[in-house]
Amino acid sequence: MQIMDGKKVAAEIKDEIAREVDQIKNSGGKIPHLAAILVGNDPPSETYVAGKVRVCEEVGFKSTLVRFTDDISEERLIEAVRDLNKNPDVDGFIVQLPLPEHISEPNIIESIDPHKDVDGFHPVNIGRMVLGLPSFVSATPAGIIELIRRYDIPTAGRSCLVIGRSNIVGRPLSNLLSLKRYPGNATVTLAHSKTTNLPGLILESDIIIAALGSPEFITGEMIKEGAVVIDVGITRVKSDFTKSGYKLIGDVKFDEVAPKCSFITPVPGGVGPMTIISLLRNTLLASKSKRFG
Amino acid sequence: MQIMDGKKVAAEIKDEIAREVDQIKNSGGKIPHLAAILVGNDPPSETYVAGKVRVCEEVGFKSTLVRFTDDISEERLIEAVRDLNKNPDVDGFIVQLPLPEHISEPNIIESIDPHKDVDGFHPVNIGRMVLGLPSFVSATPAGIIELIRRYDIPTAGRSCLVIGRSNIVGRPLSNLLSLKRYPGNATVTLAHSKTTNLPGLILESDIIIAALGSPEFITGEMIKEGAVVIDVGITRVKSDFTKSGYKLIGDVKFDEVAPKCSFITPVPGGVGPMTIISLLRNTLLASKSKRFG
């Protein structure tokens, strides 16, 4: 059994990116610049955006945070998006979700220039991804694909069960892993809340990607020997044994499942650290190519 | 066992559309107008485009055929697309594929205004479809979804095997049938050339959509009792018993498979007639809404 150490791989990729930014600086090139729009002051959103800005600075990117109060109109927010679309110094940008209820998220996302859509949420990027064309892929799926690649996990012809059909995790992964390339060429089944016989499907699968958000749902007897298990679930539960007073629990009962696996991601330290890296990679690609990643 | 009679359903839908066009005419509204660009004179493409023009006329649409010789440059073809994008009388249009080798199909497709892309090939339409947003869906998947709807076939929680991952049939269907709606909510597996154990997967599935292009691949003993079988395969083989000298063979050995099915589509007369109808429906929607279908 081998642990897929997302924390270590993410640190390696961060170093690679930082070195590349150094080279760009030394050769007088343009410093990659990521902007983020934050509406309101939802505490988790504040935390996520602050984390993104911090990591940008750590690798030497330029970053800009554009803030609005949560009473901004949709029209005004679209204007702000258009300003960033037109700003030649901004290579890529994100609009932190969720947005206030009076604003249509699809309308905002579709107003982003697809070539600057480093979150990979624009339908053009999703469509291009599904077609196997170059595109920006959203953070969690891109991070998982990169982790599979770095651990050289075989995927061709293997049965892969993706549990959870969200637009930002399960659905893109189900498409990516069935594309005609590596990682890919897997026989992918997409399971969700309406799926019957989930335990039977899990037991038959070579690769299981759990994105249900159901703490420790997958137990040892549910998987077959040698399976690859990637745990996307992160549920925050109270704990008396941590300084913060809570801990993060994945969708997989790690202690039971890990001994049966060929590869497994831990929580925390597996998929989580890979996600922010994907945003950096997309921004770097945007700054170099002015085209899709 | 019930036959899903695509020919009959397609004729019903054609009548519905013709009646709606009549009403539009009577109330002085704008007649739906489909244009088609045809490059070169590939005989199958000539046949397909002629068929589309004929059906347009049968339901009372206006149609325009724009022809170019196969030495047209990519730039000139994109110009022609832009002209149709701007032409307020044209509600929707298609560029008949394949295009000559010196022209990039993705470049041409991405130059089409997504709101006029009644073939549903533009990445925006594919992305919106994958996200479950209103979009134009390409002809074969849309036709199959409509056939499932008209025969009221339950899909929620059922295991659905889509065999073949093409961008215009298998992949869109795998996404559509797993969306959170009806038809949809199925547990979909997408199989393809790299899939191992295809017979095992077929035997376990409630709904099988065969788009392999392998004549009579699926035999009676391969499917379970009560399965729904939708046959997308069309292979032309020589025959001494037809006037034309050839006949069309599906991916399913109909005589063996049909008695075990709850529902099955024949070839010909199943999926085939439904496809052209989808193009008409998309064009009608485009003419009414000037938005996605």
Side-chain angles (χ1 to χ4, degrees):
Chain A
M1 186 273 294
Q2 195 177 350
I3 301 249
M4 297 168 79
D5 187 342
K7 203 172 157 187
K8 182 173 138 256
V9 172
E12 286 166 11
I13 297 175
K14 239 175 85 176
D15 280 352
E16 292 165 16
I17 294 174
R19 275 198 299 275
E20 190 163 343
V21 175
D22 265 350
Q23 285 169 1
I24 293 170
K25 280 185 187 165
N26 292 340
S27 63
K30 184 190 171 302
I31 308 296
H33 181 179
L34 176 72
I37 294 181
L38 178 58
V39 177
N41 39 24
D42 173 51
S45 292
E46 294 265 4
T47 308
Y48 296 141
V49 168
K52 289 167 189 174
V53 168
R54 192 185 65 244
V55 175
C56 277
E57 284 164 6
E58 285 168 5
V59 297
F61 284 5
K62 192 170 160 186
S63 72
T64 301
L65 178 55
V66 184
R67 299 197 65 138
F68 296 101
T69 53
D70 58 12
D71 57 354
I72 186 174
S73 70
E74 187 172 309
E75 295 65 36
R76 179 68 196 89
L77 188 55
I78 288 178
E79 249 176 66
V81 166
R82 297 223 169 103
D83 287 344
L84 292 177
N85 286 344
K86 282 183 291 190
N87 186 331
D89 195 63
V90 171
D91 299 299
F93 65 98
I94 61 167
V95 180
Q96 183 67 41
L97 303 181
L99 292 171
E101 288 214 345
H102 67 279
I103 297 176
S104 152
E105 289 184 357
N107 287 354
I108 300 301
I109 290 167
E110 293 195 33
S111 66
I112 298 172
D113 177 349
H115 299 100
K116 293 190 175 188
D117 169 41
V118 286
D119 255 345
F121 290 165
H122 193 290
V124 162
N125 277 309
I126 292 166
R128 291 181 61 97
M129 174 196 72
V130 165
L131 296 170
L133 297 171
S135 67
F136 291 123
V137 175
S138 58
T140 304
I144 290 169
I145 293 290
E146 187 60 22
L147 208 49
I148 290 172
R149 192 197 316 270
R150 297 247 170 176
Y151 280 92
D152 213 9
I153 293 170
T155 56
R158 302 187 82 184
S159 57
C160 174
L161 181 67
V162 177
I163 313 173
R165 58 179 159 177
S166 78
N167 286 337
I168 58 170
V169 181
R171 190 168 291 280
L173 273 171
S174 73
N175 280 287
L176 287 166
L177 287 166
S178 57
L179 286 176
K180 203 171 187 164
R181 66 189 187 200
Y182 178 79
N185 276 318
T187 303
V188 179
T189 301
L190 181 58
H192 45 76
S193 56
K194 292 288 187 290
T195 295
T196 53
N197 188 30
L198 186 54
L201 291 171
I202 294 171
L203 197 57
E204 283 166 11
S205 298
D206 299 320
I207 301 170
I208 297 146
I209 300 180
L212 311 77
S214 179
E216 300 189 332
F217 176 85
I218 297 180
T219 56
E221 79 276 9
M222 290 172 82
I223 67 153
K224 73 172 170 190
E225 280 294 335
V228 174
V229 174
I230 293 174
D231 188 352
V232 190
I234 300 178
T235 307
R236 205 171 139 139
V237 298
K238 286 197 170 157
S239 168
D240 294 336
F241 303 102
T242 63
K243 212 167 61 178
S244 60
Y246 70 88
K247 61 175 182 171
L248 298 177
I249 306 278
D251 288 347
V252 176
K253 205 159 188 173
F254 188 85
D255 294 347
E256 283 181 27
V257 172
K260 294 182 78 178
C261 290
S262 56
F263 292 90
I264 187 168
T265 61
V267 171
V271 171
M274 293 299 293
T275 61
I276 203 155
I277 290 303
S278 306
L279 183 65
L280 293 181
R281 284 164 55 99
N282 282 346
T283 305
L284 182 60
L285 283 166
S287 81
K288 287 196 291 188
S289 63
K290 301 286 174 204
R291 285 289 307 167
F292 293 110
Chain B
M1 186 273 294
Q2 196 177 349
I3 301 250
M4 297 168 79
D5 187 341
K7 201 171 158 188
K8 182 173 136 254
V9 172
E12 286 166 11
I13 297 175
K14 238 175 85 176
D15 280 351
E16 292 165 17
I17 294 174
R19 276 199 299 275
E20 191 163 342
V21 175
D22 264 348
Q23 284 169 3
I24 293 170
K25 280 184 186 165
N26 292 340
S27 62
K30 184 191 170 302
I31 310 296
H33 182 179
L34 176 72
I37 295 181
L38 177 58
V39 177
N41 41 22
D42 173 51
S45 293
E46 295 265 5
T47 307
Y48 296 142
V49 168
K52 289 167 190 175
V53 168
R54 191 186 66 243
V55 175
C56 277
E57 283 163 8
E58 285 169 4
V59 297
F61 285 5
K62 192 171 160 187
S63 71
T64 300
L65 178 55
V66 184
R67 300 196 64 140
F68 296 102
T69 53
D70 59 12
D71 57 354
I72 187 175
S73 70
E74 187 171 310
E75 295 65 36
R76 179 66 197 88
L77 188 54
I78 288 179
E79 250 176 68
V81 167
R82 295 221 170 104
D83 287 344
L84 292 177
N85 286 344
K86 281 183 292 189
N87 186 333
D89 195 63
V90 171
D91 299 300
F93 65 98
I94 61 166
V95 179
Q96 182 67 41
L97 304 180
L99 293 171
E101 288 216 342
H102 67 280
I103 296 176
S104 154
E105 288 184 359
N107 286 355
I108 299 302
I109 289 168
E110 292 194 33
S111 66
I112 298 172
D113 177 348
H115 299 101
K116 295 191 175 187
D117 169 41
V118 287
D119 255 345
F121 290 163
H122 192 290
V124 161
N125 278 309
I126 292 165
R128 291 182 60 98
M129 174 196 73
V130 165
L131 296 169
L133 297 170
S135 66
F136 292 123
V137 175
S138 57
T140 305
I144 290 170
I145 292 290
E146 187 59 23
L147 208 49
I148 290 173
R149 193 197 318 269
R150 298 247 169 175
Y151 281 91
D152 213 10
I153 293 170
T155 55
R158 301 187 83 183
S159 58
C160 173
L161 181 67
V162 177
I163 313 174
R165 58 178 159 177
S166 78
N167 287 337
I168 57 170
V169 182
R171 190 168 292 280
L173 274 171
S174 74
N175 280 288
L176 288 164
L177 287 166
S178 57
L179 285 176
K180 202 170 187 164
R181 65 188 188 201
Y182 177 78
N185 276 319
T187 303
V188 179
T189 301
L190 181 59
H192 46 75
S193 55
K194 292 287 189 289
T195 295
T196 53
N197 189 29
L198 185 55
L201 291 171
I202 294 171
L203 196 59
E204 285 167 7
S205 298
D206 299 321
I207 301 170
I208 298 147
I209 299 180
L212 312 77
S214 177
E216 300 189 334
F217 176 84
I218 297 180
T219 57
E221 78 276 8
M222 290 173 83
I223 67 153
K224 73 172 171 191
E225 279 295 333
V228 175
V229 174
I230 293 173
D231 189 352
V232 191
I234 300 178
T235 307
R236 205 171 139 139
V237 296
K238 286 196 171 161
S239 169
D240 294 336
F241 303 102
T242 64
K243 211 168 61 179
S244 61
Y246 69 89
K247 60 175 181 171
L248 298 177
I249 306 278
D251 288 346
V252 176
K253 203 159 188 171
F254 187 85
D255 293 346
E256 283 181 26
V257 171
K260 295 181 78 178
C261 290
S262 56
F263 291 90
I264 187 168
T265 61
V267 172
V271 171
M274 293 298 292
T275 60
I276 203 155
I277 290 304
S278 306
L279 183 64
L280 293 180
R281 284 164 56 99
N282 282 347
T283 305
L284 182 60
L285 283 165
S287 82
K288 288 197 289 190
S289 63
K290 301 286 172 203
R291 287 288 308 167
F292 293 111

